[in-house]
Amino acid sequence: MQTMLRSAHADPASPAGADGAASPPPIVLGGAQVRRAVIASVIGNGLEWFDFLIYAYFAKIIAHVFFPLGNPFLSTSLTFATFAVGFIVRPLGGIAIGAYADRVGRRKTLSMLILLMALSTVLMGVTPSYRSIGIAAPLLVLLARVLQGLSVGGEFATAAAMLSEYAPRGKKMFYGSFQMTSQAIALVLSSGFAYFLTTHLDRAALESWGWRIPFLLGAVVGPVGFYIRHKVAESPEFVALRDQQGHRTQAPRASLGRFLRERGDAVLCAMGVIIVGAATNYLWHTFMPSYIERQLHLPLKNALLGTAASGLVSLAGYPLAGKLADRFGAYRLFFPVVTVWVLAAYPLFLWVLAHPTPERVFAAQMMATVVLSLMSGPHPGMLTQLFPTATRSTGVALAYNVAVTLFGGLAPLTVSTLITVTGSNFVPAYYLVFAGVVSLLLVGLTRSGRRLRRDPHALPLD
């Protein structure tokens, strides 16, 4: 295997040797190997998003099935709180699984994660209602969210590392964008399922069994994903690193404290990259259906239709953004795109709220999707560029999960609570502006961000 992975076509911009060791041996791969690695990397991320989005779309029904407290606001808040729990445990899973992937390899880690995610998805789909088993029902839902949170904590980082380490020279951002494209596929499928079920089943059937169908179908991806991931070759850069370390089966352990001392600047920069995209993604694609139904008093199917269309736009938008980032520099594009979004978020909500109609909501969803695609398409490549091979999964997992937990997973609960407390329907706009400013400051003030803005192909800082 190791001999097969080597050749004379190296990527001189690869950061694999940025820890002071010699550069890794040159690597070239066949087309079939690369395609298999891309599929193996993105399939779990797609399953993660499919499950998360279905949960959010059916939040009101899940609240009634598992949290029937007689208070719609409280039961829905508990549903979003359970949704948020999956994110709260993500940093823990991310640190542990990211370190594991940096020690034993990307392939073994991704194979393990897909099975754990499938288990949590099927548990969500088969758990009986509160009326059937009482308090055990919400506890099982909580367990499913915790298991998924732990597994997906390392999923994005490990898959992003695999994509980056398989990508040829000059295409790191484009290959990384396929990780985001998997989210777009999940968005189309989940919103399509939700739209079909809400328009073809009555309320009783939907609450009784209809909402469970997507979870059960999503779990089928687990065995298929495991087979694909088990067959893929190990990341070539990880193989090269292991060769440099004397053919060890596992890389040596490193403490979290030492990692933060050495890579803390890169972690802060990576968090800045993710924060605005996470806030935008989770508000427009996860929270927006509930917002449109509750605050704007429009049918849920209108929101779901727009969300499905957003997914279709993103299918083309993410790879295009990756290509633009490879050509012009991802960190050079980051600042103008985020600045435009900070300036446009409030006027966009003002326009929709002035006369909330399905047409305006749909148009706003499309505008947000275009900006989100430009912001988030290069994210996996941008994050992996900040860390060397030896600590890449750990660094990406830590930064990504902390940022997504604080500004993404908690966003629906935070925004819905602030709307209730303040009575203002403009809270989502304020939230997006705040997230954008934080992102600009973190990327702009860190050494890593400034360096990559000057030199798009710079190696990680020592």
Side-chain angles (χ1 to χ4, degrees):
M1 173 80 68
Q2 294 170 357
T3 303
M4 177 181 67
L5 291 173
R6 300 184 193 128
S7 88
H9 293 78
D11 178 1
S14 169
D19 280 336
S23 298
I27 297 164
V28 73
L29 297 160
Q33 288 176 295
V34 174
R35 286 192 296 271
R36 195 178 300 119
V38 170
I39 295 172
S41 298
V42 304
I43 194 170
N45 197 50
L47 175 60
E48 167 198 351
W49 267 89
F50 182 88
D51 188 15
F52 277 165
L53 291 166
I54 285 293
Y55 187 97
Y57 297 154
F58 291 116
K60 285 181 66 177
I61 293 175
I62 291 173
H64 182 72
V65 172
F66 296 112
F67 304 96
L69 301 176
N71 184 324
F73 167 71
L74 184 56
S75 60
T76 302
S77 295
L78 286 174
T79 303
F80 279 131
T82 306
F83 177 81
V85 164
F87 286 85
I88 293 173
V89 301
R90 280 178 68 158
L92 300 176
I95 293 171
I97 295 172
Y100 180 80
D102 284 332
R103 291 180 59 238
V104 306
R106 319 310 189 201
R107 183 181 70 88
K108 290 182 180 179
T109 305
L110 290 173
S111 298
M112 173 191 70
L113 289 173
I114 193 73
L115 291 180
L116 189 56
M117 280 192 290
L119 174 63
S120 63
T121 301
V122 74
L123 179 59
M124 186 71 203
V126 301
T127 298
S129 67
Y130 183 90
R131 292 181 181 179
S132 300
I133 60 173
I135 191 63
L139 290 178
L140 286 173
V141 171
L142 182 63
L143 174 62
R145 301 303 298 172
V146 169
L147 288 175
Q148 190 183 52
L150 291 173
S151 63
V152 303
E155 168 66 33
F156 181 92
T158 307
M162 177 75 94
L163 283 171
S164 174
E165 291 164 6
Y166 261 91
R169 180 184 181 183
K171 294 185 178 180
K172 299 286 187 182
M173 302 299 160
F174 175 65
Y175 271 64
S177 71
F178 288 119
Q179 182 79 336
M180 305 306 299
T181 302
S182 70
Q183 295 183 8
I185 295 172
L187 185 63
V188 173
L189 292 177
S190 60
S191 56
F193 263 115
Y195 181 81
F196 178 83
L197 292 172
T198 54
T199 54
H200 287 77
L201 295 178
D202 59 34
R203 184 75 179 187
L206 201 57
E207 289 187 4
S208 177
W209 54 269
W211 69 272
R212 298 179 186 272
I213 295 176
F215 287 100
L216 297 176
L217 290 177
V220 175
V221 177
V224 177
F226 176 81
Y227 176 80
I228 295 172
R229 288 182 166 186
H230 187 67
K231 292 294 183 181
V232 76
E234 179 55 87
S235 153
E237 287 187 19
F238 185 84
V239 171
L241 175 67
R242 191 166 56 191
D243 286 350
Q244 291 175 357
Q245 295 168 341
H247 299 278
R248 294 189 184 99
T249 302
Q250 296 182 354
R253 296 176 183 269
S255 69
L256 179 61
R258 178 183 173 185
F259 171 78
L260 290 175
R261 287 193 298 273
E262 294 176 352
R263 303 290 170 187
D265 180 84
V267 169
L268 288 175
C269 181
M271 288 178 61
V273 169
I274 289 297
I275 283 172
V276 64
T280 304
N281 208 349
Y282 281 86
L283 280 184
W284 279 96
H285 293 157
T286 304
F287 175 72
M288 195 53 62
S290 177
Y291 176 86
I292 290 171
E293 189 178 21
R294 285 184 173 276
Q295 267 67 48
L296 303 186
H297 307 292
L298 296 173
L300 176 62
K301 64 180 182 181
N302 293 125
L304 294 174
L305 186 61
T307 302
S310 296
L312 291 173
V313 171
S314 298
L315 284 175
Y318 286 139
L320 176 61
K323 280 185 172 292
L324 290 173
D326 279 322
R327 181 173 181 180
F328 298 106
Y331 285 84
R332 291 175 178 173
L333 292 177
F334 176 84
F335 288 93
V337 172
V338 175
T339 300
V340 167
W341 186 228
V342 167
L343 296 175
Y346 181 82
L348 188 60
F349 270 88
L350 181 65
W351 178 68
V352 172
L353 291 172
H355 187 54
T357 63
E359 293 76 19
R360 287 200 177 195
V361 169
F362 184 86
Q365 286 177 297
M366 295 305 99
M367 294 180 209
T369 298
V370 170
V371 177
L372 179 61
S373 296
L374 291 173
M375 283 193 300
S376 300
H379 277 176
M382 293 173 74
L383 297 190
T384 56
Q385 190 179 10
L386 288 165
F387 303 96
T389 307
T391 57
R392 181 167 292 142
S393 288
T394 302
V396 175
L398 177 62
Y400 176 81
N401 286 298
V402 171
V404 169
T405 296
L406 295 178
F407 287 86
L410 294 177
L413 178 63
T414 301
V415 172
S416 62
T417 301
L418 288 175
I419 289 174
T420 302
V421 172
T422 64
S424 172
N425 286 335
F426 286 100
V427 168
Y430 301 143
Y431 190 88
L432 291 174
V433 171
F434 173 71
V437 171
V438 172
S439 280
L440 290 171
L441 290 175
L442 284 178
V443 177
L445 296 178
T446 53
R447 289 180 298 133
S448 298
R450 294 196 302 271
R451 190 172 186 228
L452 285 166
R453 191 178 183 182
R454 291 193 303 269
D455 179 6
H457 301 295
L459 299 179
L461 289 168
D462 291 329

